[in-house]
């Protein structure tokens, strides 16, 4: 026992024995909510960080002197035109309008003495609409978007001299999303909308306050969004609260102190691009790329898009000068062309940034087009015109097909991409599916023919990311392909209405990166690379990526196959007109020395057609103004087309006529197979066109026996039977109650049912009117009743009956059902032509064909192929396809027999069980209040056929869309050269092979319109490009013969680069073999001697 000794322990820390005070835990929700109060506007703004944001503001005269010139109407004058006018004085608070008008402001700025030495001087301009800052001598500098989107322009240092400096601001009276009234952007524009100039002032910004604002915003996001079971979340909350406590109103030094606290969480480098210097072992996972999605038209017309391009791209060039990590990718060759033509100063800046590797032209297509409806050849031309523009202007083609916003992706795109030099594809629209979640982020997407591309769908699920903390976080948490690869792209920048990244986006991303490297948990974001860099690394893993075969069906926006019917009809027509013209001009240019291949006009027609295929134009989701524009463009296409057709015909010594006689009549045929068709040559008279080749002589069609013709019997009042050698059709009250195939001895309409029955549905989708038809519309089906059917025409070769159908007091249909003589037992179809007077609201008109055919799948023509889709609703994936896209036909076949429904201008279809249904007209009221109102003429045909879906359907659909044209010639037919086709498939070739395109090669010296210094070099000699595809999905062999003097044949890609020489080409016979994979698209170049 002893007393206390020297070795007794002394206290080893200052830790007090007794608790000096109670200390509580943060009450999470309250401490989190407090964070935004630190930088919120409203009742706090005079006492929080906002109160220290600016060190001085100068507004009104003499510092900001405003005068304006109002451009008349909807004119969009150039700078030079505008500044010539007298400007009147104006001021903040004034209103400008109406919607779509333009106002030019002369802004004279004099920086007051007390602001001259401040660190950052900006002009703040907010008129709640869009604008462009111009120098006093007409250089566009930077875009502005009101409503706080992008309202600052940094004053050059030269303005700090106390003298007057003049700039101009071009004001466009529309917002980023057009000019709708109120908050619902898809409502039609309000013509009388006016915009108030809320702000025009010189502001000295306190950079510390501004930076602190971004600091606490992002750390606050970490506090709000990191999981509460993570220490990183608790640390973020603590840091924010410490910042708030360190802040002293009015004390500038306290801002610095606050920022030091912030850096404990963000790291020391967030004020520069240094933050992105990757340290060892800290590889980035999320690759940010600046982007600006500019819809070529949507809630604004093309002419406004041209200005949006200049505004958005000049912003990016400006931002790149201040943020060295910013790289920017932008698509749509058309927009580059506009920029080049209309804004040479912006174009030069863009070109400089392109050459520095900062501004990345991407996408390889003319516009970001729809892919459901354009024909195969249109898709080819999107790439051909897009890639050629990029190559011609930037010396480089795109490697990535870029379509973030298009409404579904047709099944042959991977093949066409690869044939256009692109191995990658980016989209994200499928994240909008409202039935099934698409299961992959990164995968190999495989076309009908087996060709693949790497597809990436950014897991942040947007192409207009605001670069929020949550966007970076979602890039990992929503990544669906983590088993294979965990990297992703983050596509950030304001978009749809243009804009692109802002300084806020870049500052936020610096802090996100800072968090990853300092605290962790957030996926590490990196900037400064390219989309190609990202895909390069994916490509190395391609073997391990999962595969998706066939179309990327979009489970939303199914109404876009039908809305804006005229526009869709014009698209189909333009595609056929261009096909005819290229083929005939090719023939003429090789025949007549004096005939010049009209490359310039053809380019103009194609570029216009491709523009109208933009993903809000062709699908029908734009405002009325856009369709006024596209109507004009199509009218120009058809006008030029008519002229070119006339010129080509003249070179072939023929000319078009309305009527002719049997002796003089010739028909023009551009389809590459044997045709034998009856053609009406004058009222009541018809001739038989028969043969192959561009010009078919008319002959007498002999009706030797009664059944060679066609008959019409009246069975009872309003009940008629139309009968030819092949078919017997009973029409009753406008519907077909019996369709009997005499050859196959088979009734096609099920007992008691009616084909060609019009049905009307209520069509009120959840929100996107022009875009969507929702599944529940099917529950509202109503059959339309027709009045008595009457005889319309009764000729020996063709009979028709006509029926009127009432839709409502305002709307009605007049329908002609016709049957022609079945020539030489060829398979025959029932033709229908309806003229619809359409004045409905939110109704959907369709026509139904119940058929006695059973199959769990129906077939639909798509670009260069056929897609099979379920006829049942087994799973939600099957059911999601309750409305699908088809091109010229849809087909339901069972073994041995089937029925095809052909059409001349429609794209929406559904097959449910044995019921086939063609979609005709919708009546959405937003964003176009008058969409589809008025008169429409629509043709379709019911084509029952022996055997399952085959070449006959494919050919009939082409013929239905491309009827023979009546011609005459001053010469004897025998004297004409073009009786024989210049190029054709021999008889033993597989009939599924379609020779779809005949054109001159782009770079032939007598064709090319490229300038001499273009990297696209002219080639000596003449050559012809042929495009062939297998239309039915089987190995297809055939022999091509030509009577042109061809010396060499090569297989080329879609850009007309040689892939390989065709070694088996028989020069003497002008003959070579083709052997295509199922659904392969193959192009050949024939070089002429
Ligand atoms: Zn878009």
């Amino acid at each position: 026992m002893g007393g206390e000794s020297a070795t007794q322990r002394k206290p080893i820390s200052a830790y007090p024995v007794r608790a000096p005070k109670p200390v509580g835990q943060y009450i999470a929700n309250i401490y989190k909510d407090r964070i935004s109060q630190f930088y919120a506007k409203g009742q706090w703004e005079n006492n929080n960080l906002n109160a220290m944001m600016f060190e001085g503001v100068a507004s009104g005269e003499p510092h900001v002197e405003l005068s304006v010139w109002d451009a008349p109407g909807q004119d969009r004058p150039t700078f030079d035109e505008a500044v010539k006018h007298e400007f009147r004085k104006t001021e903040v608070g004034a209103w400008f309008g109406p919607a779509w008008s333009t106002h030019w402001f002369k802004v004279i700025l004099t920086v007051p003495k007390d602001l001259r030495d401040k660190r950052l001087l900006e002009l703040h301009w907010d008129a709640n609409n869009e604008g462009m800052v111009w120098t006093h001598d007409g250089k566009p500098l930077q875009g502005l978007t009101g409503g706080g989107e992008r309202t600052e322009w940094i004053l050059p240092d030269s303005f700090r001299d106390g003298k007057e400096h003049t700039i101009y601001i071009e004001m466009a009276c529309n917002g980023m999303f057009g000019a709708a009234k109120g908050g619902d952007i898809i409502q039609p524009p309000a013509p009388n909308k006016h915009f108030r100039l809320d702000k025009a002032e010189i502001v000295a910004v306190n950079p510390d306050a501004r930076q602190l604002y971004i600091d606490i915003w992002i750390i606050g996001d970490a506090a709000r969004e990191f999981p509460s079971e993570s220490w990183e979340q608790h640390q973020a909350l603590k840091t924010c609260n410490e910042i708030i406590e360190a802040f002293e109103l009015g004390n500038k030094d306290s801002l610095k102190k606050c920022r030091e606290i912030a850096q404990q969480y963000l790291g020391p480098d967030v004020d520069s691009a240094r933050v992105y210097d990757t340290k060892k072992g800290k590889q980035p996972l999320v690759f940010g790329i600046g982007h600006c999605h500019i819809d070529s038209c949507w809630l604004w017309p093309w002419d406004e898009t041209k200005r949006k391009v200049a505004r958005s791209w000049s912003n990016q060039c400006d931002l790149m000068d201040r943020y060295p990590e910013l790289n920017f990718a932008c698509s749509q060759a058309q927009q580059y062309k506009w920029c080049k033509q209309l804004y040479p100063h912006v174009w030069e800046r863009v070109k400089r940034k392109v050459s520095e590797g900062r501004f990345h032209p991407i996408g390889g297509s003319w516009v970001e087009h729809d892919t459901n409806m354009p024909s195969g050849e249109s898709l080819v031309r999107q790439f051909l015109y897009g890639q050629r523009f990029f190559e011609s202007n930037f010396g480089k083609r795109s490697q990535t097909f870029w379509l973030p916003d298009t409404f579904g992706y047709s099944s042959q795109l991977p093949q066409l991409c690869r044939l256009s030099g692109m191995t990658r594809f980016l989209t994200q629209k499928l994240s909008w599916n409202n039935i099934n979640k698409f299961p992959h982020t990164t995968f190999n997407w495989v076309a009908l023919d087996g060709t693949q591309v790497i597809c990436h769908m950014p897991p942040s699920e947007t192409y207009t990311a605001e670069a929020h903390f949550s966007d970076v976080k979602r890039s990992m948490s929503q990544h669906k392909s983590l088993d294979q690869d965990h990297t992703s792209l983050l596509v950030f920048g304001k978009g749809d209405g243009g804009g692109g990244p802002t300084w806020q986006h870049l500052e936020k991303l610096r802090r996100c990166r800072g968090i990853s490297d300092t605290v962790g948990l957030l996926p590490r974001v990196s900037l400064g690379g390219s989309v190609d860099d990202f895909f390069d690394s994916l490509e190395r893993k391609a073997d391990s990526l999962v595969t998706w075969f066939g179309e990327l069906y979009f489970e939303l926006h199914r109404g876009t196959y039908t809305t804006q019917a005229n526009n869709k009809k014009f698209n189909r027509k333009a595609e056929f007109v261009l096909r005819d013209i290229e083929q005939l001009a090719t023939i003429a240019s090789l025949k007549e020395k004096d005939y010049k291949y009209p490359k310039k006009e053809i380019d103009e027609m194609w570029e216009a057609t491709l523009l109208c295929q933009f993903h809000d134009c062709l699908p029908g989701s734009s405002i009325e103004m856009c369709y006024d524009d596209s109507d004009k463009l199509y009218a120009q296409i058809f006008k030029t087309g008519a002229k070119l057709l006339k010129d080509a015909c003249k070179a072939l010594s023929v000319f078009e006529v309305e009527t002719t006689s049997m002796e003089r009549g010739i028909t023009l045929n551009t389809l590459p197979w044997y045709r034998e068709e009856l053609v009406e040559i004058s009222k009541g008279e018809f001739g038989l066109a028969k043969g192959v080749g561009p010009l078919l002589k008319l002959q007498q069609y002999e009706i030797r026996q009664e059944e060679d013709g066609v008959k019409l019997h009246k069975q009872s009042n309003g009940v008629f039977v139309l009968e030819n050698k092949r078919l017997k059709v009973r029409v009753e009250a406008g519907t077909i109650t019996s369709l009997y195939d005499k050859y196959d001895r088979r009734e096609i309409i099920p007992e008691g049912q009616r084909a060609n029955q019009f049905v009307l549905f209520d069509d009120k989708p959840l929100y996107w009117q022009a875009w969507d038809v929702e599944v529940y519309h099917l529950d509202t089906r109503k059959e339309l009743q027709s009045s008595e059917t009457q005889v319309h025409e009764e000729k020996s070769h063709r009979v028709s009956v006509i029926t009127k159908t009432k839709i409502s007091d305002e709307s009605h249909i007049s329908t002609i059902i016709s049957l022609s003589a079945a020539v030489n037992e060829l398979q025959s179809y029932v033709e229908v032509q309806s003229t619809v007077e359409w004045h409905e609201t939110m109704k959907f008109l369709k026509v139904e064909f119940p058929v006695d055919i059973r199959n769990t799948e129906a077939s639909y023509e798509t670009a260069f192929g056929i897609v099979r889709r379920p006829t049942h609703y087994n799973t939600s994936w099957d059911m999601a396809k309750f409305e699908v896209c088809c091109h010229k036909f849809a087909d339901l076949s069972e073994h041995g027999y089937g029925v095809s429904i052909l059409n001349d201008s429609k794209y929406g279809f559904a097959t449910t069980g044995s019921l086939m249904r063609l979609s005709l007209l919708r009546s959405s009221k937003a964003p176009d209040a008058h969409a589809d109102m008025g008169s429409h003429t629509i043709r379709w045909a019911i084509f029952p056929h022996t055997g399952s879906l085959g070449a006959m359907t494919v050919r009939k659909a082409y013929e239905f869309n491309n009827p023979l044209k009546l011609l005459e010639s001053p010469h004897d037919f025998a004297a004409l050269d073009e009786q024989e086709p210049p190029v054709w498939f021999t008889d033993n070739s597989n009939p599924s092979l379609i020779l779809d395109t005949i054109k001159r090669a782009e770079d032939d010296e007598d064709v090319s319109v490229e300038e001499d210094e273009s990297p696209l070099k002219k080639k000596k000699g003449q050559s012809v490009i042929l495009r062939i595809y297998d239309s039915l999905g089987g190995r297809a062999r055939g022999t091509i013969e030509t009577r042109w003097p061809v010396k060499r044949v090569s297989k080329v890609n879609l850009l007309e680069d040689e892939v390989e020489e065709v070694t088996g080409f028989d020069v003497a016979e002008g003959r070579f073999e083709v052997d295509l994979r199922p659904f392969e698209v193959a192009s050949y170049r024939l070089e002429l001697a």
Side-chain angles (χ1 to χ4, degrees):
M1 304 289 285
E4 290 181 355
S5 73
T7 59
Q8 197 173 18
R9 290 188 199 100
K10 286 183 181 156
I12 54 168
S13 78
Y15 176 53
V17 177
R18 277 170 282 278
K21 60 176 180 183
V23 177
Q25 230 179 2
Y26 281 164
I27 296 170
N29 62 323
I30 294 173
Y31 278 75
K32 275 188 208 172
D33 287 353
R34 177 198 190 191
I35 301 170
S36 58
Q37 192 208 75
F38 182 62
Y39 51 83
K41 297 273 186 190
Q43 61 171 325
W44 316 111
E45 66 185 59
N46 294 326
N47 292 285
N48 65 12
L49 183 58
N50 281 297
M52 293 186 68
M53 202 59 84
F54 305 136
E55 295 175 332
V57 175
S59 58
E61 295 186 10
H63 308 302
V64 183
E65 216 183 298
L66 297 175
S67 55
V68 66
W69 170 68
D70 309 297
Q74 294 183 3
D75 287 3
R76 294 177 173 84
T78 63
F79 176 88
D80 290 338
E81 288 158 5
V83 296
K84 272 187 243 158
H85 290 86
E86 193 90 0
F87 282 59
R88 64 177 167 86
K89 269 209 168 309
T90 188
E91 60 190 8
V92 169
W95 288 81
F96 299 90
W100 313 117
S101 63
T102 293
H103 307 268
W104 280 84
F105 292 80
K106 186 173 182 179
V107 183
I108 302 173
L109 298 171
T110 312
V111 178
K113 194 155 184 277
D114 57 330
L115 296 189
R116 265 172 238 164
D117 297 324
K118 299 292 182 190
R119 288 170 289 176
L120 176 58
L121 292 182
E122 292 177 342
L123 173 72
H124 287 191
W125 177 277
D126 194 341
N128 302 294
N129 54 19
E130 296 202 287
M132 171 73 104
V133 181
W134 295 75
T135 60
H136 69 97
D137 56 353
K139 293 193 183 72
L141 292 177
Q142 186 211 297
L144 296 164
T145 304
E149 298 281 359
R150 188 189 312 263
T151 53
E152 310 96 358
W153 175 66
I154 298 175
L155 261 54
D157 282 343
S158 59
F159 281 32
R160 292 173 184 261
D161 58 2
K163 296 190 178 130
E164 288 188 348
H165 293 271
T166 300
I167 57 166
Y168 287 88
I169 292 180
E170 175 192 15
M171 174 196 279
C173 281
N174 55 267
M176 198 158 81
F177 293 105
K181 198 165 61 189
D184 185 354
I185 58 162
I186 70 163
Q187 287 310 307
N192 242 326
K193 187 164 175 144
H194 282 64
F195 298 84
R196 185 176 184 269
L197 176 57
D198 280 343
K199 204 181 272 179
E201 57 199 22
I202 299 169
V203 178
V205 177
N206 181 332
D208 294 326
R210 183 177 271 181
Q211 293 292 353
L212 178 60
Y213 163 61
I214 308 284
D215 289 346
I216 193 163
W217 182 358
I218 293 295
I219 305 171
D221 280 346
R224 288 177 287 255
E225 295 182 36
F226 271 158
S228 61
E229 64 267 30
S230 68
W231 69 265
E232 293 89 345
Q233 186 269 329
H234 292 274
Q235 184 68 40
L237 186 60
K238 183 162 175 275
T239 307
C240 287
N241 280 281
E242 283 175 4
I243 291 171
I244 296 167
E245 279 146 28
F247 174 78
E248 288 174 42
L249 189 65
N251 178 353
K252 287 183 188 168
D253 289 338
S254 82
L255 296 174
K256 291 195 164 52
K257 174 82 182 112
C258 290
R259 291 216 67 208
E260 279 163 23
I261 297 168
Q263 287 190 1
Q264 290 168 16
Y265 201 84
L266 299 171
D269 295 326
V270 294
D271 288 343
S272 77
R274 262 203 327 275
V275 72
Y276 292 109
D277 294 347
T278 293
K279 282 128 203 125
K280 204 162 177 263
K282 294 192 167 180
Q283 290 309 310
L285 300 171
V286 181
F287 296 87
I289 186 80
H291 178 57
C292 159
H293 184 75
I294 307 180
D295 286 317
S296 288
C297 65
W298 181 32
L299 303 173
W300 52 86
W302 288 322
D303 281 345
E304 196 51 45
T305 306
K306 295 167 188 171
R307 300 204 290 196
K308 282 176 180 285
V309 167
R311 291 193 285 259
S312 305
W313 294 3
S314 53
N315 286 340
Q316 296 315 309
C317 293
D318 170 64
L319 212 51
M320 279 177 201
D321 291 338
R322 285 180 284 134
Y323 290 89
E325 71 268 39
L326 173 60
N327 278 2
F328 177 74
C330 203
S331 61
Q332 312 204 57
Q334 169 72 83
Q335 295 186 0
Y336 285 85
K337 186 171 178 179
W338 282 335
C339 181
K340 184 180 182 181
Q341 288 173 333
L342 303 170
Y343 294 92
H345 180 72
V346 180
W347 176 247
E348 284 310 315
R349 277 173 93 186
V350 166
K351 270 182 75 165
R352 223 165 21 245
K353 296 294 182 200
V354 171
S355 67
E356 289 166 12
R358 309 276 309 275
F359 198 115
H360 307 155
I362 199 169
S365 58
W366 187 249
V367 292
E368 284 189 20
H369 50 92
D370 181 74
T371 81
N372 287 315
M373 291 169 278
S375 68
E377 191 58 29
S378 284
L379 297 179
V380 169
R381 300 311 172 97
Q382 288 287 356
F383 295 141
L384 181 76
Y385 282 86
Q387 290 284 42
R388 283 178 67 84
F389 185 90
F390 290 137
E391 192 175 2
S392 171
N393 287 277
F394 305 114
K396 220 176 138 189
R397 295 172 179 169
S398 301
Q399 285 177 273
T400 304
F401 182 33
W402 182 273
L403 278 192
D405 189 31
T406 292
F407 313 151
Y409 307 92
S410 64
S411 45
Q412 287 282 49
L413 285 171
Q415 183 183 182
L416 302 180
C417 282
R418 293 305 288 260
L419 287 170
S420 306
M422 293 184 284
T423 54
R424 301 91 188 258
F425 175 50
L426 180 131
T427 181
Q428 72 76 47
K429 199 70 185 180
L430 265 49
S431 69
W432 287 40
N433 278 3
N434 72 353
I435 299 182
N436 299 287
K437 200 137 189 76
F438 191 78
H440 312 302
T441 291
T442 306
F443 57 101
N444 289 312
W445 180 28
V446 187
L448 291 176
D449 78 318
T451 305
Q452 62 178 0
V453 290
I454 296 180
C455 178
H456 179 68
M457 302 187 181
S460 53
E461 299 193 342
T462 175
Y463 52 87
T464 58
E466 289 279 347
H468 289 315
F469 178 92
S470 59
D471 292 317
V472 178
K473 184 165 162 266
R474 280 204 309 270
S475 295
M476 186 59 71
S477 64
Q478 296 187 159
H479 200 302
K480 303 192 208 86
S481 302
L482 295 174
D483 291 341
Q484 290 80 36
D485 179 78
H486 48 263
T487 62
S488 63
L489 276 179
L490 172 63
V491 181
F492 68 95
K494 293 187 186 294
D496 291 328
T502 62
W503 62 264
Q504 290 94 328
H505 296 159
L506 292 154
E507 293 291 349
K508 283 193 279 180
L509 288 176
R510 283 180 177 178
R511 283 151 182 86
C512 288
R513 172 59 181 255
I515 289 178
S516 309
D517 286 344
T518 309
V519 188
L521 203 57
L522 192 64
R524 186 169 291 109
V525 65
S526 163
L527 260 66
S530 70
V531 173
D532 286 333
D533 296 339
F534 169 74
F535 275 108
D536 282 345
S537 77
L538 280 185
E539 213 162 281
R540 290 192 280 276
K541 300 178 181 172
D543 283 354
S544 65
L545 299 178
V546 299
T547 47
W548 183 272
F549 282 73
E551 71 176 326
L552 293 170
Y553 177 85
F554 182 36
E555 296 181 357
L556 204 70
H557 295 4
R558 301 167 185 86
T560 61
Y561 317 141
T562 304
T563 312
Q564 299 288 3
N566 282 339
N567 209 52
K568 290 172 165 68
K569 187 174 183 168
F570 294 153
N571 176 65
R572 180 79 60 82
K573 187 176 163 192
E575 290 175 338
F576 273 92
V577 166
L578 276 157
R579 187 184 175 283
D580 285 358
I581 282 167
E582 287 190 326
Q583 185 178 134
L584 295 169
T586 298
I587 296 171
S589 72
L590 300 178
K591 175 175 180 273
E592 280 292 324
K593 276 226 151 28
D594 294 342
Y595 177 87
K596 170 111 180 89
Y597 189 79
K599 180 71 164 72
K600 189 171 156 283
E601 290 89 340
I602 288 174
D603 285 352
E604 282 165 9
M605 288 172 71
W606 264 120
E607 287 178 9
T609 303
L610 300 176
L611 173 57
C612 292
Q613 290 170 350
F614 176 73
H615 68 257
D616 283 306
C617 189
L618 182 57
S621 45
S622 282
I623 57 170
E624 189 172 6
M625 283 176 120
C626 300
Y627 295 103
D628 294 342
D629 284 349
S630 65
D631 284 353
K632 278 184 215 141
L633 209 47
Y634 278 120
Q636 186 58 46
I637 293 169
F638 300 134
K639 191 176 162 201
T640 310
K643 183 193 167 288
L644 297 186
L645 186 65
K646 201 171 161 195
D647 295 347
C649 282
K650 195 174 156 209
L652 303 179
S653 310
V654 289
F655 53 92
E656 286 181 280
V657 287
E658 294 283 318
T659 60
T660 185
S661 64
M662 202 68 72
E663 296 69 44
R664 303 190 56 186
I666 300 168
T667 55
L668 178 67
N669 166 44
T670 58
L671 298 178
W673 48 75
Y674 179 85
R675 278 173 98 167
E676 189 167 356
E677 280 174 45
L678 292 168
V679 182
E680 186 149 326
I681 57 174
S682 64
K683 208 164 169 52
E685 234 199 316
F686 61 94
L688 182 68
K690 183 169 156 175
V692 283
L695 303 180
L696 308 180
K697 177 84 186 93
L698 280 173
Q699 311 172 10
Q700 201 83 44
Y701 176 61
E702 273 186 61
I703 299 182
R704 280 177 298 239
Q705 311 166 42
E706 203 184 338
E707 64 256 37
D708 287 343
V710 59
K711 289 170 297 182
L712 180 68
H713 322 281
K714 182 172 176 180
Q715 269 197 342
S716 60
N717 270 355
V719 182
F720 294 90
V721 174
L722 294 67
E723 184 173 2
N724 66 14
K725 208 177 209 171
R726 177 87 194 208
L727 297 176
K728 196 171 167 184
V729 190
R730 190 170 71 228
V731 178
E732 202 174 327
T735 59
I736 297 170
T737 50
S738 167
L739 174 54
Y740 185 74
D741 183 334
K742 290 152 75 174
Y743 187 85
D744 279 82
R745 288 179 295 157
R746 178 169 182 146
E747 173 60 51
I748 287 139
I749 312 298
E751 177 73 38
Q753 300 198 29
R754 295 158 174 271
N756 216 54
Q757 169 72 52
F758 290 105
V759 283
L760 196 67
F761 299 84
D762 283 347
D763 188 11
K764 295 184 189 110
L766 294 169
Y767 174 64
W768 299 96
Q769 279 195 47
W771 292 258
D772 289 347
V773 55
E774 260 318 332
V775 59
Y776 49 76
H777 86 287
L778 293 168
D779 304 334
T780 65
R781 177 182 176 278
K782 206 173 80 191
E783 290 184 2
L784 296 179
Q785 304 304 319
S786 299
S787 60
E788 209 169 77
T789 297
Q790 293 175 345
V791 178
H792 179 65
E793 89 191 302
E794 195 169 2
K795 295 167 187 161
S796 55
H797 74 296
R798 183 182 171 91
V799 294
S800 322
V801 291
I802 186 165
T803 312
K804 296 228 180 311
T805 306
K806 183 176 170 179
I807 301 171
S808 67
D809 288 345
E810 290 77 36
S811 308
H812 48 87
I813 314 171
S814 170
T815 305
I816 299 167
I817 300 178
S818 311
L819 190 68
S820 295
V823 178
N824 289 339
E825 301 190 28
L826 281 181
Q827 302 201 26
S828 184
Y829 55 64
V830 183
E831 188 179 340
V832 185
Q833 175 174 312
S834 277
T835 304
V836 188
E837 201 50 49
W838 182 243
H839 300 278
E840 295 302 296
T841 297
M842 298 179 202
K843 300 283 180 199
F844 199 154
L845 179 69
K846 307 187 185 188
V847 59
E848 291 184 340
F849 313 92
V851 291
D852 191 8
I853 305 282
R854 181 176 292 274
N855 197 326
T856 53
E857 284 185 326
S859 303
Y860 302 87
E861 190 187 33
T862 184
F864 290 138
I866 300 213
V867 197
R868 295 194 170 79
R869 301 185 182 105
T871 59
H872 54 77
Y873 294 159
N874 282 2
T875 68
S876 60
W877 290 86
D878 300 324
M879 193 166 173
K881 295 179 180 170
F882 61 84
E883 175 88 9
V884 298
C885 186
C886 74
H887 284 194
K888 302 186 291 293
F889 66 84
D891 182 87
L892 183 62
S893 290
E894 58 191 28
H895 177 69
Y897 201 85
V899 176
S900 305
I901 305 296
L902 319 178
N903 74 79
D904 77 337
S905 57
K906 293 290 150 194
Y907 296 92
F909 209 92
T911 309
T912 314
S914 294
L915 180 68
M916 305 177 80
R917 194 189 280 135
L918 176 67
S919 298
L920 299 179
L921 290 168
R922 299 186 68 223
S923 45
S924 55
K925 300 300 169 195
D928 175 358
H930 309 110
D932 287 321
M933 298 300 97
S935 182
H936 301 267
T937 301
I938 312 161
R939 290 168 60 236
W940 60 88
I942 309 161
F943 177 47
H945 52 84
T946 310
S948 47
L949 171 60
M952 193 62 89
T953 292
V954 177
R955 291 181 174 191
K956 284 270 181 241
Y958 265 97
E959 291 166 6
F960 190 72
N961 279 271
N962 197 348
L964 295 166
K965 289 181 190 67
L966 214 49
L967 304 172
E968 281 181 1
S969 171
H971 307 297
D972 182 8
F973 184 74
L976 295 173
D977 285 342
E978 315 313 322
Q979 302 161 42
E980 295 288 316
V983 57
W984 69 97
F985 272 110
T986 58
D987 285 350
N988 57 355
S989 299
N990 190 321
S992 73
L993 288 167
I994 303 288
L995 173 51
D996 192 42
T997 296
I998 300 175
K999 68 185 277 290
R1000 291 294 306 276
E1002 296 288 314
D1003 293 320
D1004 278 1
E1005 59 186 346
D1006 64 328
V1007 168
S1008 170
V1009 290
E1010 284 293 316
E1011 284 159 14
D1012 288 340
E1013 58 273 20
S1014 164
L1016 301 169
K1017 293 291 168 225
K1018 292 176 187 168
K1019 293 193 175 83
K1020 288 215 174 312
Q1022 293 183 307
S1023 48
V1024 175
I1025 301 291
L1026 306 181
R1027 191 140 27 248
I1028 295 160
Y1029 70 100
D1030 164 57
S1031 59
L1032 291 166
R1035 181 73 173 263
R1037 296 197 179 90
T1039 306
I1040 290 181
E1041 252 177 38
T1042 176
R1043 62 188 177 89
W1044 283 316
V1046 173
K1047 61 176 184 191
R1048 184 174 182 273
V1049 177
S1050 53
K1051 202 165 183 179
V1052 295
N1053 65 15
L1054 303 181
L1055 308 180
E1056 304 179 9
D1057 305 326
E1058 181 158 332
V1059 178
E1060 62 189 15
E1061 182 169 358
V1062 174
T1063 48
F1065 175 58
D1066 179 338
V1067 180
E1069 298 288 326
R1071 180 187 284 218
F1072 64 99
E1073 305 293 317
V1074 301
D1075 183 357
L1076 267 54
R1077 294 187 304 280
F1079 292 122
E1080 182 182 348
V1081 179
S1083 308
Y1084 295 89
R1085 180 203 301 276
L1086 315 185
E1087 288 170 50
L1088 270 62

